Amino acid sequence: QAQLVESGGGLVQAGGSLRLSCAASGRTFSSYTMAWFRQAPGKGREFVTGIRWSGSSTYYADSVKGRFTISRDNAKNVVYLQMNSLKPEDTAVYYCAAAREKLGSRWYEYKDEYEYWGQGTQVTVSS
């Protein structure tokens, strides 16, 4: 019974920082690509960042590049999202996702490629 559980969301002022965690259980996800997606009110679920199983390759949406950092600790079966310089536009429900490795270019940007999802954690950035 594989499960992903996000934590660390909350209310933060613009310019502040927040660190999200995604704890996996039920199986080891060390060989999976892990990613964060987010969904703002009235918007679709969009790709934020992803990290390949090796940890050597990371990917970021242009909107968060330079501000967000994804990392993983395979020994603990946890993936993190460090968010700095937060903007009101970052307000959304953030979801952790896991997928078996694929071969297609940029496949990790598509939500339909992910097999496992957390329930999401709310991040609200006030101005």
Side-chain angles (χ1 to χ4, degrees):
Q1 193 71 27
Q3 185 177 22
L4 302 176
V5 180
E6 303 96 336
S7 63
L11 177 64
V12 64
Q13 291 182 316
S17 298
L18 212 57
R19 190 193 196 199
L20 306 184
S21 298
C22 173
S25 62
R27 69 174 63 197
T28 299
F29 286 90
S30 60
S31 63
Y32 284 65
T33 290
M34 304 296 294
W36 291 92
F37 287 75
R38 67 186 182 187
Q39 188 163 16
K43 304 292 184 179
R45 192 168 299 187
E46 67 173 357
F47 174 79
V48 177
T49 179
I51 183 168
R52 302 294 287 274
W53 67 269
S54 67
S56 61
S57 297
T58 56
Y59 311 95
Y60 296 91
D62 289 342
S63 59
V64 306
K65 196 171 298 181
R67 300 187 298 119
F68 290 12
T69 303
I70 188 171
S71 62
R72 66 192 299 167
D73 186 339
N74 287 340
K76 296 181 178 180
N77 221 15
V78 175
V79 62
Y80 303 98
L81 178 61
Q82 179 66 47
M83 304 183 293
N84 298 326
S85 301
L86 283 162
K87 305 175 180 179
E89 306 93 270
D90 296 318
T91 296
V93 176
Y94 283 71
Y95 298 90
C96 178
R100 290 188 179 274
E101 293 287 317
K102 310 295 194 301
L103 296 178
S105 180
R106 300 175 64 177
W107 63 268
Y108 44 82
E109 295 182 358
Y110 300 96
K111 62 183 185 297
D112 290 345
E113 299 293 338
Y114 289 81
E115 298 179 2
Y116 302 97
W117 292 87
Q119 295 301 304
T121 185
Q122 177 70 48
V123 172
T124 302
V125 184
S126 64
S127 59

